[in-house]
C-alpha cells in the first residue's frame, strides 16, 4: 500500500502529465478559436482545484447544484452534470494509476448494473427494434446520461469516506438551501414585477399574483420534493443537536415554504413520511409532534383559496365521487381543468399505447410522445411500463426495492438510536413517501432531489465509526 506522500507525488505526476497534453491542445485552440481556449483554460483550472482541494471541491459541487436550474435554457445543469461525470471518472482513473483505493459498496454495483441495463433501450432505437426512429434518440441519450450522472454522484461521495465526518458532511449540505429559500421568500413577498426573470413562477391569470412558488427549481412540484428531503434532514438534526431552536425555526420555515408550493401530492408524501418516521419511536410526544406538523401543513394549505380549490377538485373525481366513472372523468379532462381527471386520461392513453409494445415498450424518455397531451406521464410506474415494457417496469420496481432493502439492512446493522441509524430511518421514510408520490407525479424527473438523495444514500453507507475529523473546510 502506498503512503500518503507517495500517493500525492504520483497524483501530481499524472495530473502534471495531463497538463502537458492539455497545454498542447490549448496551443492549437488558441489559433483555431479563442473562445474554446477560454473554456479549456477554465476547465483546467477547475480540474486542478478539484485534485488539489478534493474535499472542499466536492462539497462545493454538492452545494451549488440547487442553484443551477434557473439556467436550464442555457444548458447549465446539463453541462454541470457532464463536468461532474468527467471529473469523477478522471479521479477514479488517476486513483487506479497510483494504486489508491476507490471506494464502492455492494449497492453501487447494483446501481451500476441497473444504469447499464437502461442503456439497452437506447441501443434498441437505432437498431429500429422499437416504435420510434432516430428522432427521439437524442432524448433517450440525455435521459441515460442523467441516470449515469446519479451513479457518478454516488461514486464521488463515496470517495469522501474516511476523509470527512458524516455529520459535518450532512451539515454542509444545508448551505444548498440558502439560494432556493431566498428565491422562494422573494416569490412570496415580492410582486411579480420585481422578481428577476430567471425566477419563473406560476401566476394567477385573474389576480396577476403568484399562485405557486418554486424557488430555483423551475417547477413547484420539483421544489416540494426538494423541501421534503431537507425537512427530513432538519428533523434528523433536531435529534442530534443540543441547541434545538435553530432547527425548529428551520423546520417551521421549510414547512411554510412547503405549503407555498401548493402541490397536492406533497401532502400525501408528507403524511407517509411522518407516519414511517414515528414507527421506531412511537410514543405520545412523537405522535403529538407528528400530528401537529401535519396539521400545520394541512391547515396552511387549506387556508389559501388555491388550496381550497385543489382539495375541492377531488370531489369531482372518481376517487371521491361514486357517481363518476373513469370513462366520464377522461371525457371531462378535456375541459374541466381537473388535474386528477387529466391524469386518469393520460394514464389510460399511455397504457393503451403500451399494449402495442408490451415487452420492451418505446424507449427511454418517450412517454411524452405517446399521447395527445404531449406531456410527461405524471405516474412513474405508468411511465416505466410505457417506456420499458414489462422488462422495464420489473427492472424499475427491482431497483426501488433494492434501495429499500439497502436501507433496511443498514438499519439492522447500525447501533439502535445512533445518528447513522436515525438517518437511515429518515431516508427510508423519504423513500416510502417517494413510492406514494410516484403514483401521481413525475418524481423520477426531479433531478435536483435525486442529486441530494444519492449523496445522502452514499453517506448513510459509510463506516461512521472510522470517519476522521474534517481538518479544513
Amino acid at each position: 500500500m502506498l503512503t500518503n506522500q507517495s500517493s500525492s507525488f504520483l497524483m501530481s505526476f499524472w495530473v502534471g502529465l495531463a497538463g502537458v497534453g492539455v497545454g498542447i491542445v490549448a496551443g492549437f485552440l488558441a489559433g483555431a478559436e479563442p473562445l474554446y481556449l477560454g473554456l479549456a483554460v477554465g476547465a483546467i483550472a477547475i480540474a486542478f482545484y478539484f485534485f488539489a482541494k478534493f474535499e472542499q471541491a466536492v462539497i462545493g459541487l454538492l452545494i451549488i447544484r440547487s442553484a443551477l436550474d434557473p439556467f436550464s435554457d442555457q444548458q447549465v445543469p446539463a453541462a454541470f452534470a457532464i463536468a461532474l461525470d468527467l471529473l469523477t471518472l478522471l479521479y477514479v482513473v488517476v486513483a487506479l494509476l497510483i494504486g489508491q483505493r476507490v471506494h464502492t459498496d455492494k449497492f453501487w454495483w447494483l446501481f451500476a448494473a441497473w444504469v447499464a441495463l437502461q442503456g439497452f433501450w437506447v441501443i434498441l432505437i437505432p437498431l429500429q427494434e422499437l416504435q420510434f426512429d432516430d428522432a427521439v434518440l437524442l432524448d433517450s441519450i440525455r435521459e441515460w446520461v442523467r441516470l449515469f450522472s446519479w451513479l457518478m454522484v454516488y461514486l464521488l461521495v463515496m470517495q469522501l469516506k474516511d476523509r470527512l465526518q458524516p455529520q459535518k458532511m450532512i451539515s454542509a449540505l444545508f448551505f444548498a438551501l440558502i439560494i432556493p429559500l431566498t428565491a422562494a421568500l422573494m416569490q412570496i413577498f415580492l410582486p411579480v414585477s420585481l422578481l428577476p426573470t430567471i425566477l419563473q413562477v406560476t401566476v394567477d391569470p385573474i389576480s396577476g399574483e403568484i399562485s405557486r412558488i418554486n424557488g430555483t427549481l423551475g417547477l413547484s412540484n420539483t421544489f416540494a420534493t426538494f423541501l421534503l428531503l431537507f425537512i427530513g434532514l432538519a428533523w434528523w438534526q433536531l435529534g442530534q443537536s443540543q441547541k434545538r431552536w435553530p432547527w425548529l425555526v428551520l423546520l417551521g420555515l421549510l414547512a411554510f415554504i412547503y405549503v407555498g408550493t401548493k402541490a397536492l401530492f406533497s401532502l400525501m408524501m408528507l403524511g407517509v413520511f411522518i407516519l414511517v418516521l414515528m414507527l421506531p419511536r412511537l410514543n405520545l410526544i412523537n405522535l403529538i409532534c407528528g400530528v401537529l406538523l401535519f396539521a400545520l401543513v394541512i391547515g396552511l394549505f387549506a387556508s389559501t383559496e388555491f388550496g381550497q380549490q385543489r382539495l375541492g377538485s377531488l370531489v369531482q373525481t372518481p376517487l371521491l365521487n361514486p357517481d363518476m366513472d373513469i370513462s366520464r372523468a377522461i371525457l371531462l379532462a378535456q375541459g374541466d381543468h381537473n388535474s386528477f381527471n387529466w391524469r386518469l386520461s393520460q394514464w389510460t392513453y399511455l397504457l393503451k399505447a403500451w399494449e402495442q409494445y408490451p415487452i420492451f415498450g418505446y424507449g427511454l424518455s418517450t412517454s411524452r410522445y405517446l399521447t395527445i397531451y404531449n406531456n410527461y406521464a405524471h405516474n412513474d410506474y405508468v411511465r416505466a411500463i410505457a417506456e420499458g415494457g414489462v422488462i422495464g417496469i420489473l427492472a424499475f420496481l427491482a431497483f426501488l426495492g433494492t434501495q429499500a432493502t439497502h436501507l433496511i439492512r443498514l438499519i439492522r446493522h447500525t447501533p439502535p438510536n445512533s445518528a447513522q441509524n436515525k438517518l437511515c430511518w429518515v431516508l427510508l421514510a423519504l423513500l416510502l413517501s417517494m413510492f406514494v408520490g410516484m403514483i401521481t407525479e413525475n418524481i423520477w424527473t426531479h433531478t435536483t432531489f435525486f442529486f441530494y438523495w444519492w449523496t445522502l444514500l452514499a453517506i448513510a453507507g459509510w463506516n461512521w465509526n472510522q470517519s476522521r475529523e474534517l481538518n479544513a473546510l
Side-chain angles (χ1 to χ4, degrees), residues 117-416:
L117 177 62
Q118 301 310 298
F120 172 74
W121 278 271
V122 179
I123 296 173
L124 287 180
I125 293 177
L127 294 179
Q128 298 183 347
E129 296 294 333
L130 302 177
Q131 169 68 16
F132 289 104
D133 54 22
D134 292 348
V136 301
L137 179 60
L138 186 59
D139 286 341
S140 292
I141 292 175
R142 286 172 179 166
E143 176 65 9
W144 187 85
V145 171
R146 189 174 73 97
L147 301 178
F148 180 76
S149 297
W150 293 354
L151 180 67
M152 292 297 99
V153 169
Y154 192 100
L155 181 61
L156 182 62
V157 175
M158 283 298 295
Q159 306 320 304
L160 296 178
K161 181 180 179 181
D162 299 334
R163 294 187 181 208
L164 299 175
Q165 278 193 339
Q167 293 92 333
K168 291 187 177 181
M169 179 74 178
I170 294 173
S171 296
L173 294 180
F174 281 92
F175 286 103
L177 283 174
I178 295 176
I179 296 180
L181 293 191
T182 301
L185 292 174
M186 291 172 62
Q187 292 167 351
I188 293 173
F189 295 110
L190 292 181
V192 179
S193 59
L194 295 180
L195 287 176
T197 55
I198 60 173
L199 297 181
Q200 299 177 357
V201 291
T202 302
V203 179
D204 189 300
I206 299 177
S207 65
E209 298 179 353
I210 297 173
S211 60
R212 304 179 67 182
I213 62 173
N214 53 35
T216 56
L217 273 70
L219 295 174
S220 300
N221 290 357
T222 307
F223 192 36
T225 54
F226 173 81
L227 290 173
L228 182 59
L229 183 143
F230 277 95
I231 286 175
L233 285 186
W235 184 288
W236 175 77
Q237 287 280 21
L238 183 64
Q240 309 303 313
S241 177
Q242 295 181 349
K243 293 183 179 180
R244 295 191 171 191
W245 69 265
W247 299 110
L248 286 172
V249 171
L250 180 59
L251 267 176
L253 177 61
L254 290 171
F256 172 71
I257 297 177
Y258 189 72
V259 173
T261 64
K262 298 177 182 177
L264 191 56
F265 83 96
S266 68
L267 299 181
M268 298 185 298
M269 291 184 66
L270 180 64
V272 173
F273 171 74
I274 293 176
L275 177 63
V276 176
L277 204 59
M278 291 191 305
L279 287 179
R281 297 175 297 277
L282 188 59
N283 55 51
L284 183 60
I285 295 177
N286 286 338
L287 181 61
I288 293 174
C289 290
V291 171
L292 287 177
L293 177 61
F294 188 65
L296 173 65
V297 173
I298 292 290
L300 289 173
F301 186 84
S303 66
T304 64
E305 183 178 353
F306 184 87
Q308 293 169 6
Q309 292 174 355
R310 294 300 301 274
L311 292 173
S313 66
L314 292 178
V315 181
Q316 304 303 320
T317 69
L319 182 66
L320 296 180
N321 189 343
D323 297 327
M324 180 182 292
D325 57 18
I326 294 180
S327 60
R328 177 169 172 77
I330 293 173
L331 291 175
L332 292 174
Q334 304 293 333
D336 67 353
H337 303 291
N338 188 309
S339 62
F340 190 80
N341 287 338
W342 178 89
R343 281 170 167 79
L344 288 176
S345 180
Q346 174 76 334
W347 303 340
T348 301
Y349 282 122
L350 285 172
L351 291 176
K352 287 182 178 179
W354 162 71
E355 291 175 355
Q356 304 300 317
Y357 292 86
I359 305 301
F360 295 112
Y362 291 84
L364 293 183
S365 195
T366 57
S367 57
R368 54 181 169 166
Y369 301 115
L370 298 178
T371 74
I372 61 174
Y373 299 112
N374 293 320
N375 206 328
Y376 291 102
H378 288 72
N379 182 314
D380 284 320
Y381 306 106
V382 174
R383 175 204 57 79
I385 197 170
E387 295 183 359
V390 174
I391 304 299
I393 185 63
L394 290 177
F396 182 65
L397 294 175
F399 184 54
L400 295 180
T402 300
Q403 296 176 57
T405 303
H406 177 61
L407 286 171
I408 293 172
R409 184 184 64 82
L410 289 175
I411 290 172
R412 290 178 175 177
H413 289 82
T414 53

